[in-house]
Amino acid sequence: MSLNVIDLIKGQLGPALVSQAAAQFGESESGISKAIGGLLPAVVGGLANNSDNPGVLDAITNASSSGILGNLLGNSSNNSVISNLLSTIFGDKLSGLVNSIATFAGISNNSSSSLLNLVTGATAGSIGKYAADNNLGQSGISSLLNDQKGIVSSLLPAGLSLASLNIGDWAKGYKFDNDNDAIKTPVAEEPKTDFTRSTTPTETYSQKNNEGGGSVWKWLLPLLLLIAAAYFIWKQCDKKSTTTTISTTDSTTIITDSTATATPSDTTVTTTVTKVDENIDLNGTALKGYKGGMEDQMITFLKTDGYKNAANDDALKDKWYDFDHVNFKINSASELEAGSEGQLQNLVAILKAFPEAKIKIGGYTDKTGDEAKNLKLSADRANFIKSWLGKQGVGAQVIAADGYGSKFAKVDASASNEARAVDRKMAVRFAK
């Protein structure tokens, strides 16, 4: 099964970034989210159209080290690499794409244009990072992009049609190209049967006379059916991408920092957590997060006096909360990926709302690489977050930051990079 690169990119365009973009552009979050949903398949489709273009491959190859992902909102609009990439893949259709997305999402053309730059930066950066992580050369990137031609056509949101722009395979049956030729659909030969409209005996319609009306329906009806099928597939893919299955010995214990080796319980409870983006109530203040996510669990624990009633630190040490959106750039302990600061700001708000609470930060790696380096990297990352929180005025509440390397990693080192990602994380727990 081909890798769907859109799944790689969604992590860069999470709720925190949507909220920041909405505030920066003066648009609604729903409008921003809707626009991104239309732009993602358009940009990936445009890149797939140009999977053999040396300029496109060079841009993606260099994107991982160019810092594009570091500040998508700040850098994308003025980045010449992104501008050149857009000109290459869309050409004179660029303004038409911006207009179509603006109309579809109910946002301004300026916001649509800025989001197009942002999504293109996230796409090129994410594919470049994936290529670097998996040692893909330009031929590998070309093959990966080419594979998207069979995926993108099913992901365009219902209600958005870009067929008139002639930029991609937005309905099955269209030739996937990016030149100035007309895109043609295969047309089945119609039976040459004359028929007479019963209400008007004197008027006979032949196949020739029917071309003006019948030929419309012969492609319009299949197209409507395809759009309905694409919407269904889109909803199924979206549902799958936001559902995570966590197997734990109870519903809240994720990892432990005790020195003893963790032993699985005889009874393993499998809990499916559906990530539903919503406002989490913090004493009357709304935080953007997930139902059942880190913020929701921490606030619930504090509101039920779980922290106040804990006798000592031992009563708290086994209950960790994994960050959903806090990630570092590969091999870095000082550069956060785009969208990470939003959840850290949520943590700051929680600590300020409960000033008596103390926390500890933990850093973790997967099983690959030298363990001594893993320990140092995870510790450096934990201390970076501790220092960052200190700059926000809650440093006194962060009493420790430790790195555990791969000590608690569960996925084998020989597994795929995607499978090992669950072990590369940052977490937080309450402490006394």
Side-chain angles (χ1 to χ4, degrees):
M1 181 177 179
S2 299
L3 171 71
N4 185 343
V5 301
I6 288 182
D7 290 338
L8 297 176
I9 304 161
K10 284 183 177 179
Q12 300 293 335
L13 305 172
L17 184 134
V18 170
S19 296
Q20 293 170 21
Q24 182 168 318
F25 301 150
E27 305 283 0
S28 68
E29 291 188 17
S30 61
I32 295 295
S33 182
K34 194 173 182 181
I36 290 175
L39 286 168
L40 260 178
V43 171
V44 173
L47 292 174
N49 285 350
N50 293 270
S51 59
D52 296 324
N53 188 306
V56 169
L57 297 176
D58 284 341
I60 293 176
T61 301
N62 298 324
S64 178
S65 58
S66 68
I68 289 179
L69 293 178
N71 185 7
L72 288 172
L73 279 171
N75 293 335
S76 298
S77 297
N78 301 317
N79 192 300
S80 60
V81 174
I82 294 176
S83 300
N84 292 335
L85 194 55
L86 285 171
S87 296
T88 299
I89 63 179
F90 294 122
D92 60 0
K93 307 294 177 19
L94 191 58
S95 61
L97 175 61
V98 169
N99 291 338
S100 295
I101 294 297
T103 301
F104 168 70
I107 61 177
S108 70
N109 278 16
N110 286 338
S111 296
S112 177
S113 178
S114 296
L115 284 174
L116 176 57
N117 282 275
L118 185 152
V119 169
T120 303
T123 302
S126 296
I127 297 175
K129 182 178 183 298
Y130 177 83
D133 290 346
N134 292 274
N135 298 316
L136 294 183
Q138 291 198 356
S139 62
I141 296 174
S142 176
S143 177
L144 176 62
L145 292 177
N146 194 57
D147 287 344
Q148 306 310 303
K149 294 179 180 179
I151 298 173
V152 176
S153 60
S154 66
L155 297 181
L156 202 68
L160 174 62
S161 173
L162 301 178
S164 62
L165 297 179
N166 224 10
I167 59 175
D169 182 18
W170 308 120
K172 292 180 180 178
Y174 282 91
K175 179 183 176 184
F176 199 100
D177 61 12
N178 191 31
D179 54 26
N180 294 320
D181 298 335
I183 296 179
K184 300 177 181 179
T185 57
V187 179
E189 184 178 354
E190 289 189 351
K192 297 181 179 179
T193 304
D194 291 348
F195 61 93
T196 303
R197 188 169 61 186
S198 59
T199 56
T200 315
T202 60
E203 188 174 7
T204 300
Y205 286 80
S206 67
Q207 175 63 23
K208 179 178 180 180
N209 291 333
N210 190 47
E211 287 178 357
S215 62
V216 174
W217 286 103
K218 74 185 178 186
W219 63 263
L220 182 57
L221 183 57
L223 182 59
L224 291 173
L225 292 174
L226 284 172
I227 291 174
Y231 178 75
F232 176 79
I233 294 172
W234 170 266
K235 297 299 289 184
Q236 292 300 309
C237 290
D238 188 62
K239 180 179 179 181
K240 290 179 181 178
S241 68
T242 57
T243 302
T244 304
T245 299
I246 303 175
S247 180
T248 62
T249 54
D250 58 54
S251 61
T252 55
T253 302
I254 308 299
I255 51 179
T256 174
D257 69 341
S258 67
T259 55
T261 302
T263 303
S265 168
D266 291 337
T267 303
T268 299
V269 179
T270 300
T271 304
T272 300
V273 179
T274 302
K275 293 185 174 181
V276 180
D277 184 22
E278 63 176 24
N279 288 329
I280 307 300
D281 178 52
L282 175 61
N283 299 338
T285 300
L287 298 183
K288 183 64 68 177
Y290 290 130
K291 181 180 181 180
M294 185 197 83
E295 295 94 330
D296 192 17
Q297 292 185 48
M298 293 182 74
I299 294 170
T300 299
F301 180 73
L302 290 168
K303 284 184 175 180
T304 55
D305 289 337
Y307 181 78
K308 185 184 298 183
N309 296 334
N312 50 44
D313 194 64
D314 285 341
L316 300 167
K317 69 179 183 180
D318 291 336
K319 187 179 294 185
W320 285 83
Y321 305 89
D322 292 345
F323 286 98
D324 301 297
H325 291 301
V326 175
N327 298 292
F328 286 84
K329 291 187 177 181
I330 188 168
N331 294 326
S332 173
S334 59
E335 292 184 274
L336 291 167
E337 289 190 352
S340 296
E341 289 193 3
Q343 190 163 39
L344 289 176
Q345 290 288 2
N346 282 352
L347 179 57
V348 170
I350 293 172
L351 292 176
K352 288 183 176 180
F354 296 91
E356 77 284 358
K358 303 291 191 297
I359 62 167
K360 177 179 178 180
I361 305 296
Y364 305 84
T365 69
D366 62 26
K367 291 184 177 181
T368 61
D370 179 74
E371 184 58 18
K373 292 181 179 179
N374 285 342
L375 283 168
K376 183 179 185 306
L377 179 64
S378 59
D380 287 346
R381 286 175 170 176
N383 278 291
F384 175 87
I385 291 180
K386 179 183 178 183
S387 176
W388 189 94
L389 292 171
K391 294 175 182 177
Q392 313 306 311
V394 293
Q397 292 174 256
V398 187
I399 65 173
D402 293 318
Y404 301 101
S406 65
K407 181 178 179 181
F408 299 102
K410 297 180 180 179
V411 181
D412 191 84
S414 62
S416 68
N417 182 62
E418 289 78 10
R420 288 184 279 107
V422 69
D423 290 329
R424 301 190 299 269
K425 61 190 176 184
M426 304 303 297
V428 58
R429 77 166 173 88
F430 291 110
K432 284 200 171 182

